[in-house]
Amino acid sequence: MALIAPRVTAGLPADDARNLARSLQDSNDITVFVDGTVHRLPDEARDAVVDLLARLSRGETVTVSSVEEMLTTSQAAELAGISHTYLRNMTDRGEIPVEYRGTHRRIRQAAIMAWLATQRKKQQAEAGAGDDAAEESDARP
């Protein structure tokens, strides 16, 4: 399985969650201290830490794990939050690149992450187009 040593952390108590949410409001600056030494995180790591803290600040239970580079269709579907049947259909249509190991499909983690980024951009564009259409209809007499 692709998930390696997952760690589940329960949501924070309400007071701690509110304090953390207040601290994160309009902030992306996260300073990490390890044994008294300050470490500047690369953007990707900073984003992951901010996301983790934001989820905890909402009182969500969080699971942290690592993912192998090559995934089975089930693992890739779980990472993408879609059914493995839908993912297999996308690989059949060529929407997500796939490699075969014998008769077994393997999908690169980077391909799933790229597909997720594309989906987010589409959703943002659709939301922006919906906002523009609403503004136009408001402007008309």
Side-chain angles (χ1 to χ4, degrees):
M1 176 144 210
L3 297 178
I4 300 170
R7 178 181 173 159
V8 177
T9 302
L12 295 175
D15 287 343
D16 291 341
R18 270 192 304 279
N19 290 337
L20 181 55
R22 198 171 319 131
S23 297
L24 288 172
Q25 203 168 16
D26 301 322
S27 176
N28 280 343
D29 183 25
I30 303 295
T31 303
V32 177
F33 291 90
V34 178
D35 290 331
T37 303
V38 176
H39 294 274
R40 181 172 295 272
L41 298 176
D43 290 346
E44 296 83 7
R46 185 202 64 231
D47 293 345
V49 170
V50 169
D51 183 55
L52 171 72
L53 294 173
R55 291 169 189 262
L56 288 171
S57 75
R58 292 189 300 264
E60 297 177 19
T61 298
V62 177
T63 301
V64 177
S65 63
S66 57
V67 180
E68 295 174 5
E69 176 63 24
M70 295 300 287
L71 307 171
T72 65
T73 53
S74 294
Q75 293 164 338
E78 183 179 340
L79 179 63
I82 57 177
S83 74
H84 67 278
T85 302
Y86 183 67
L87 180 71
R88 282 196 320 266
N89 289 337
M90 287 194 306
T91 63
D92 290 344
R93 291 189 302 264
E95 294 174 29
I96 293 182
V98 65
E99 296 178 24
Y100 285 89
R101 303 288 157 81
T103 59
H104 301 283
R105 301 172 205 229
R106 294 294 180 262
I107 300 168
R108 292 198 179 278
Q109 177 188 353
I112 294 299
M113 300 311 285
W115 179 80
L116 285 170
T118 301
Q119 295 305 305
R120 273 188 229 104
K121 287 179 186 174
K122 283 181 184 176
Q123 288 174 346
Q124 290 170 350
E126 289 171 3
D131 292 344
D132 292 343
E135 288 175 11
E136 285 180 24
S137 65
D138 290 344
R140 291 185 196 142

